[in-house]
mmCIF file of all heavy atoms in Angstrom:
data_model
loop_
_atom_site.group_PDB
_atom_site.id
_atom_site.type_symbol
_atom_site.label_atom_id
_atom_site.label_comp_id
_atom_site.label_asym_id
_atom_site.label_seq_id
_atom_site.Cartn_x
_atom_site.Cartn_y
_atom_site.Cartn_z
ATOM 1 N N GLY A 1362 24.675 7.500 -42.729
ATOM 2 C CA GLY A 1362 26.174 7.673 -42.922
ATOM 3 C C GLY A 1362 26.540 8.753 -43.831
ATOM 4 O O GLY A 1362 25.661 9.418 -44.402
ATOM 5 N N LEU A 1363 27.859 9.034 -43.927
ATOM 6 C CA LEU A 1363 28.243 10.252 -44.760
ATOM 7 C C LEU A 1363 27.845 10.193 -46.094
ATOM 8 O O LEU A 1363 27.417 11.202 -46.775
ATOM 9 C CB LEU A 1363 29.801 10.356 -44.658
ATOM 10 C CG LEU A 1363 30.429 11.607 -45.313
ATOM 11 C CD1 LEU A 1363 29.739 12.925 -44.807
ATOM 12 C CD2 LEU A 1363 31.939 11.585 -45.157
ATOM 13 N N GLY A 1364 27.900 8.960 -46.813
ATOM 14 C CA GLY A 1364 27.519 8.872 -48.148
ATOM 15 C C GLY A 1364 25.997 9.161 -48.370
ATOM 16 O O GLY A 1364 25.606 9.913 -49.257
ATOM 17 N N LYS A 1365 25.182 8.704 -47.485
ATOM 18 C CA LYS A 1365 23.700 9.053 -47.553
ATOM 19 C C LYS A 1365 23.474 10.475 -47.227
ATOM 20 O O LYS A 1365 22.567 11.133 -47.923
ATOM 21 C CB LYS A 1365 22.931 8.155 -46.578
ATOM 22 C CG LYS A 1365 21.472 8.408 -46.542
ATOM 23 C CD LYS A 1365 20.825 8.102 -47.851
ATOM 24 C CE LYS A 1365 20.782 6.653 -48.206
ATOM 25 N NZ LYS A 1365 20.051 6.375 -49.397
ATOM 26 N N CYS A 1366 24.352 11.062 -46.361
ATOM 27 C CA CYS A 1366 24.166 12.495 -46.061
ATOM 28 C C CYS A 1366 24.417 13.339 -47.286
ATOM 29 O O CYS A 1366 23.681 14.247 -47.746
ATOM 30 C CB CYS A 1366 25.109 12.946 -44.985
ATOM 31 S SG CYS A 1366 24.696 12.404 -43.366
ATOM 32 N N LYS A 1367 25.451 12.949 -48.092
ATOM 33 C CA LYS A 1367 25.788 13.622 -49.289
ATOM 34 C C LYS A 1367 24.659 13.485 -50.385
ATOM 35 O O LYS A 1367 24.391 14.463 -51.008
ATOM 36 C CB LYS A 1367 27.178 13.044 -49.821
ATOM 37 C CG LYS A 1367 28.312 13.383 -49.130
ATOM 38 C CD LYS A 1367 29.609 12.770 -49.619
ATOM 39 C CE LYS A 1367 29.979 13.311 -50.975
ATOM 40 N NZ LYS A 1367 31.206 12.667 -51.495
ATOM 41 N N GLU A 1368 24.206 12.284 -50.467
ATOM 42 C CA GLU A 1368 23.069 12.051 -51.392
ATOM 43 C C GLU A 1368 21.863 12.873 -51.108
ATOM 44 O O GLU A 1368 21.222 13.397 -52.031
ATOM 45 C CB GLU A 1368 22.688 10.497 -51.331
ATOM 46 C CG GLU A 1368 21.572 10.133 -52.300
ATOM 47 C CD GLU A 1368 21.324 8.633 -52.170
ATOM 48 O OE1 GLU A 1368 22.225 7.833 -52.320
ATOM 49 O OE2 GLU A 1368 20.122 8.422 -51.735
ATOM 50 N N ARG A 1369 21.555 13.115 -49.908
ATOM 51 C CA ARG A 1369 20.403 13.851 -49.584
ATOM 52 C C ARG A 1369 20.514 15.343 -49.718
ATOM 53 O O ARG A 1369 19.498 16.055 -49.754
ATOM 54 C CB ARG A 1369 20.014 13.549 -48.085
ATOM 55 C CG ARG A 1369 19.371 12.135 -47.882
ATOM 56 C CD ARG A 1369 18.973 11.831 -46.507
ATOM 57 N NE ARG A 1369 18.461 10.509 -46.459
ATOM 58 C CZ ARG A 1369 18.033 9.882 -45.367
ATOM 59 N NH1 ARG A 1369 18.138 10.523 -44.125
ATOM 60 N NH2 ARG A 1369 17.587 8.661 -45.342
ATOM 61 N N ILE A 1370 21.751 15.870 -49.991
ATOM 62 C CA ILE A 1370 21.872 17.271 -50.301
ATOM 63 C C ILE A 1370 22.213 17.376 -51.732
ATOM 64 O O ILE A 1370 22.538 18.535 -52.290
ATOM 65 C CB ILE A 1370 23.022 17.944 -49.400
ATOM 66 C CG1 ILE A 1370 24.339 17.338 -49.700
ATOM 67 C CG2 ILE A 1370 22.607 17.979 -47.948
ATOM 68 C CD1 ILE A 1370 25.482 18.180 -49.265
ATOM 69 N N GLY A 1371 22.102 16.291 -52.476
ATOM 70 C CA GLY A 1371 22.328 16.410 -53.965
ATOM 71 C C GLY A 1371 23.682 16.128 -54.448
ATOM 72 O O GLY A 1371 23.976 16.268 -55.662
ATOM 73 N N LEU A 1372 24.582 15.620 -53.598
ATOM 74 C CA LEU A 1372 25.906 15.192 -54.041
ATOM 75 C C LEU A 1372 25.989 13.640 -54.291
ATOM 76 O O LEU A 1372 25.052 12.877 -53.878
ATOM 77 C CB LEU A 1372 26.942 15.523 -52.953
ATOM 78 C CG LEU A 1372 27.138 17.037 -52.695
ATOM 79 C CD1 LEU A 1372 28.128 17.130 -51.559
ATOM 80 C CD2 LEU A 1372 27.593 17.754 -53.899
ATOM 81 N N GLU A 1373 26.941 13.190 -55.014
ATOM 82 C CA GLU A 1373 27.153 11.736 -55.323
ATOM 83 C C GLU A 1373 27.335 11.041 -54.013
ATOM 84 O O GLU A 1373 28.120 11.437 -53.181
ATOM 85 C CB GLU A 1373 28.277 11.538 -56.278
ATOM 86 C CG GLU A 1373 28.547 10.174 -56.631
ATOM 87 C CD GLU A 1373 29.745 9.914 -57.492
ATOM 88 O OE1 GLU A 1373 30.411 10.955 -57.939
ATOM 89 O OE2 GLU A 1373 30.088 8.765 -57.771
ATOM 90 N N ASN A 1374 26.648 9.938 -53.890
ATOM 91 C CA ASN A 1374 26.855 9.097 -52.671
ATOM 92 C C ASN A 1374 28.142 8.245 -52.762
ATOM 93 O O ASN A 1374 28.136 7.063 -53.133
ATOM 94 C CB ASN A 1374 25.617 8.095 -52.589
ATOM 95 C CG ASN A 1374 25.709 7.302 -51.226
ATOM 96 O OD1 ASN A 1374 26.762 7.194 -50.589
ATOM 97 N ND2 ASN A 1374 24.548 6.697 -50.898
ATOM 98 N N HIS A 1375 29.261 8.960 -52.602
ATOM 99 C CA HIS A 1375 30.505 8.357 -52.564
ATOM 100 C C HIS A 1375 31.484 8.897 -51.593
ATOM 101 O O HIS A 1375 31.505 10.143 -51.467
ATOM 102 C CB HIS A 1375 31.180 8.588 -53.988
ATOM 103 C CG HIS A 1375 32.582 7.971 -54.082
ATOM 104 N ND1 HIS A 1375 32.874 6.694 -54.071
ATOM 105 C CD2 HIS A 1375 33.735 8.728 -54.339
ATOM 106 C CE1 HIS A 1375 34.177 6.628 -54.149
ATOM 107 N NE2 HIS A 1375 34.717 7.795 -54.353
ATOM 108 N N VAL A 1376 32.121 8.118 -50.806
ATOM 109 C CA VAL A 1376 33.115 8.568 -49.796
ATOM 110 C C VAL A 1376 34.438 8.005 -50.140
ATOM 111 O O VAL A 1376 34.554 6.811 -50.297
ATOM 112 C CB VAL A 1376 32.609 8.054 -48.349
ATOM 113 C CG1 VAL A 1376 33.657 8.499 -47.328
ATOM 114 C CG2 VAL A 1376 31.173 8.566 -48.071
ATOM 115 N N THR A 1377 35.436 8.840 -50.229
ATOM 116 C CA THR A 1377 36.752 8.268 -50.671
ATOM 117 C C THR A 1377 37.572 7.645 -49.566
ATOM 118 O O THR A 1377 38.518 6.951 -49.928
ATOM 119 C CB THR A 1377 37.595 9.512 -51.156
ATOM 120 O OG1 THR A 1377 37.819 10.446 -50.127
ATOM 121 C CG2 THR A 1377 36.836 10.330 -52.308
ATOM 122 N N HIS A 1378 37.176 7.918 -48.383
ATOM 123 C CA HIS A 1378 37.907 7.359 -47.235
ATOM 124 C C HIS A 1378 39.332 7.970 -47.251
ATOM 125 O O HIS A 1378 40.292 7.254 -46.889
ATOM 126 C CB HIS A 1378 37.959 5.807 -47.184
ATOM 127 C CG HIS A 1378 36.629 5.200 -47.052
ATOM 128 N ND1 HIS A 1378 35.878 5.338 -45.906
ATOM 129 C CD2 HIS A 1378 35.815 4.584 -47.970
ATOM 130 C CE1 HIS A 1378 34.694 4.744 -46.008
ATOM 131 N NE2 HIS A 1378 34.708 4.266 -47.304
ATOM 132 N N ASP A 1379 39.461 9.242 -47.574
ATOM 133 C CA ASP A 1379 40.647 9.998 -47.414
ATOM 134 C C ASP A 1379 40.303 11.073 -46.240
ATOM 135 O O ASP A 1379 39.253 11.680 -46.378
ATOM 136 C CB ASP A 1379 41.038 10.704 -48.667
ATOM 137 C CG ASP A 1379 42.244 11.711 -48.441
ATOM 138 O OD1 ASP A 1379 43.361 11.248 -48.377
ATOM 139 O OD2 ASP A 1379 41.864 12.854 -48.278
ATOM 140 N N GLY A 1380 41.176 11.237 -45.385
ATOM 141 C CA GLY A 1380 40.871 12.178 -44.205
ATOM 142 C C GLY A 1380 40.515 13.544 -44.639
ATOM 143 O O GLY A 1380 39.462 13.990 -44.212
ATOM 144 N N VAL A 1381 41.153 14.185 -45.499
ATOM 145 C CA VAL A 1381 40.843 15.589 -45.914
ATOM 146 C C VAL A 1381 39.562 15.591 -46.727
ATOM 147 O O VAL A 1381 38.723 16.326 -46.557
ATOM 148 C CB VAL A 1381 42.030 16.179 -46.676
ATOM 149 C CG1 VAL A 1381 41.531 17.521 -47.218
ATOM 150 C CG2 VAL A 1381 43.151 16.297 -45.818
ATOM 151 N N ASP A 1382 39.479 14.594 -47.692
ATOM 152 C CA ASP A 1382 38.242 14.556 -48.519
ATOM 153 C C ASP A 1382 37.038 14.390 -47.622
ATOM 154 O O ASP A 1382 35.891 15.013 -47.851
ATOM 155 C CB ASP A 1382 38.310 13.363 -49.501
ATOM 156 C CG ASP A 1382 39.249 13.609 -50.624
ATOM 157 O OD1 ASP A 1382 39.779 14.819 -50.771
ATOM 158 O OD2 ASP A 1382 39.627 12.678 -51.394
ATOM 159 N N ASP A 1383 37.042 13.516 -46.658
ATOM 160 C CA ASP A 1383 35.904 13.177 -45.845
ATOM 161 C C ASP A 1383 35.524 14.417 -44.910
ATOM 162 O O ASP A 1383 34.402 14.723 -44.675
ATOM 163 C CB ASP A 1383 36.082 11.997 -44.993
ATOM 164 C CG ASP A 1383 36.197 10.758 -45.835
ATOM 165 O OD1 ASP A 1383 35.900 10.822 -47.117
ATOM 166 O OD2 ASP A 1383 36.384 9.631 -45.231
ATOM 167 N N ALA A 1384 36.618 15.129 -44.486
ATOM 168 C CA ALA A 1384 36.406 16.249 -43.720
ATOM 169 C C ALA A 1384 35.687 17.456 -44.558
ATOM 170 O O ALA A 1384 34.845 18.149 -44.065
ATOM 171 C CB ALA A 1384 37.772 16.859 -43.103
ATOM 172 N N ILE A 1385 36.065 17.445 -45.843
ATOM 173 C CA ILE A 1385 35.507 18.458 -46.670
ATOM 174 C C ILE A 1385 34.024 18.086 -46.947
ATOM 175 O O ILE A 1385 33.126 18.915 -46.941
ATOM 176 C CB ILE A 1385 36.226 18.436 -48.026
ATOM 177 C CG1 ILE A 1385 37.534 19.271 -47.908
ATOM 178 C CG2 ILE A 1385 35.442 19.162 -49.109
ATOM 179 C CD1 ILE A 1385 38.524 19.132 -49.037
ATOM 180 N N ASP A 1386 33.772 16.808 -47.115
ATOM 181 C CA ASP A 1386 32.385 16.347 -47.338
ATOM 182 C C ASP A 1386 31.526 16.834 -46.217
ATOM 183 O O ASP A 1386 30.303 17.206 -46.392
ATOM 184 C CB ASP A 1386 32.348 14.851 -47.450
ATOM 185 C CG ASP A 1386 32.831 14.256 -48.772
ATOM 186 O OD1 ASP A 1386 32.892 15.125 -49.717
ATOM 187 O OD2 ASP A 1386 33.065 13.092 -48.858
ATOM 188 N N VAL A 1387 31.971 16.666 -44.935
ATOM 189 C CA VAL A 1387 31.197 17.062 -43.776
ATOM 190 C C VAL A 1387 30.813 18.625 -43.885
ATOM 191 O O VAL A 1387 29.598 18.961 -43.673
ATOM 192 C CB VAL A 1387 31.927 16.756 -42.483
ATOM 193 C CG1 VAL A 1387 31.267 17.519 -41.258
ATOM 194 C CG2 VAL A 1387 31.933 15.331 -42.257
ATOM 195 N N ILE A 1388 31.806 19.313 -44.273
ATOM 196 C CA ILE A 1388 31.573 20.772 -44.397
ATOM 197 C C ILE A 1388 30.546 21.034 -45.477
ATOM 198 O O ILE A 1388 29.643 21.948 -45.304
ATOM 199 C CB ILE A 1388 32.836 21.555 -44.651
ATOM 200 C CG1 ILE A 1388 33.741 21.542 -43.343
ATOM 201 C CG2 ILE A 1388 32.607 22.961 -45.108
ATOM 202 C CD1 ILE A 1388 35.010 22.185 -43.563
ATOM 203 N N GLU A 1389 30.685 20.376 -46.578
ATOM 204 C CA GLU A 1389 29.757 20.631 -47.716
ATOM 205 C C GLU A 1389 28.286 20.259 -47.317
ATOM 206 O O GLU A 1389 27.300 20.898 -47.744
ATOM 207 C CB GLU A 1389 30.200 19.854 -48.884
ATOM 208 C CG GLU A 1389 31.490 20.387 -49.563
ATOM 209 C CD GLU A 1389 31.808 19.749 -50.884
ATOM 210 O OE1 GLU A 1389 31.621 18.581 -51.047
ATOM 211 O OE2 GLU A 1389 32.279 20.536 -51.831
ATOM 212 N N VAL A 1390 28.136 19.148 -46.580
ATOM 213 C CA VAL A 1390 26.817 18.727 -46.131
ATOM 214 C C VAL A 1390 26.292 19.867 -45.184
ATOM 215 O O VAL A 1390 25.059 20.225 -45.388
ATOM 216 C CB VAL A 1390 26.819 17.380 -45.389
ATOM 217 C CG1 VAL A 1390 25.506 17.071 -44.786
ATOM 218 C CG2 VAL A 1390 27.208 16.300 -46.383
ATOM 219 N N ILE A 1391 27.020 20.310 -44.287
ATOM 220 C CA ILE A 1391 26.539 21.336 -43.348
ATOM 221 C C ILE A 1391 26.198 22.625 -44.182
ATOM 222 O O ILE A 1391 25.132 23.226 -43.878
ATOM 223 C CB ILE A 1391 27.501 21.530 -42.280
ATOM 224 C CG1 ILE A 1391 27.779 20.350 -41.351
ATOM 225 C CG2 ILE A 1391 27.103 22.705 -41.351
ATOM 226 C CD1 ILE A 1391 28.916 20.406 -40.376
ATOM 227 N N ARG A 1392 27.053 23.031 -44.998
ATOM 228 C CA ARG A 1392 26.835 24.289 -45.809
ATOM 229 C C ARG A 1392 25.449 24.123 -46.530
ATOM 230 O O ARG A 1392 24.625 25.037 -46.540
ATOM 231 C CB ARG A 1392 27.871 24.458 -46.774
ATOM 232 C CG ARG A 1392 29.186 25.080 -46.153
ATOM 233 C CD ARG A 1392 30.141 25.470 -47.305
ATOM 234 N NE ARG A 1392 31.340 25.945 -46.736
ATOM 235 C CZ ARG A 1392 32.359 26.566 -47.598
ATOM 236 N NH1 ARG A 1392 32.215 26.480 -48.881
ATOM 237 N NH2 ARG A 1392 33.381 27.123 -46.989
#
Side-chain angles (χ1 to χ4, degrees):
L1363 183 55
K1365 180 59 70 173
C1366 289
K1367 292 177 65 178
E1368 181 182 296
R1369 288 180 178 175
I1370 64 163
L1372 297 176
E1373 181 183 356
N1374 184 344
H1375 174 67
V1376 177
T1377 66
H1378 298 290
D1379 171 83
V1381 174
D1382 287 350
D1383 292 357
I1385 288 171
D1386 284 345
V1387 166
I1388 291 174
E1389 290 189 322
V1390 170
I1391 296 172
R1392 283 186 178 188

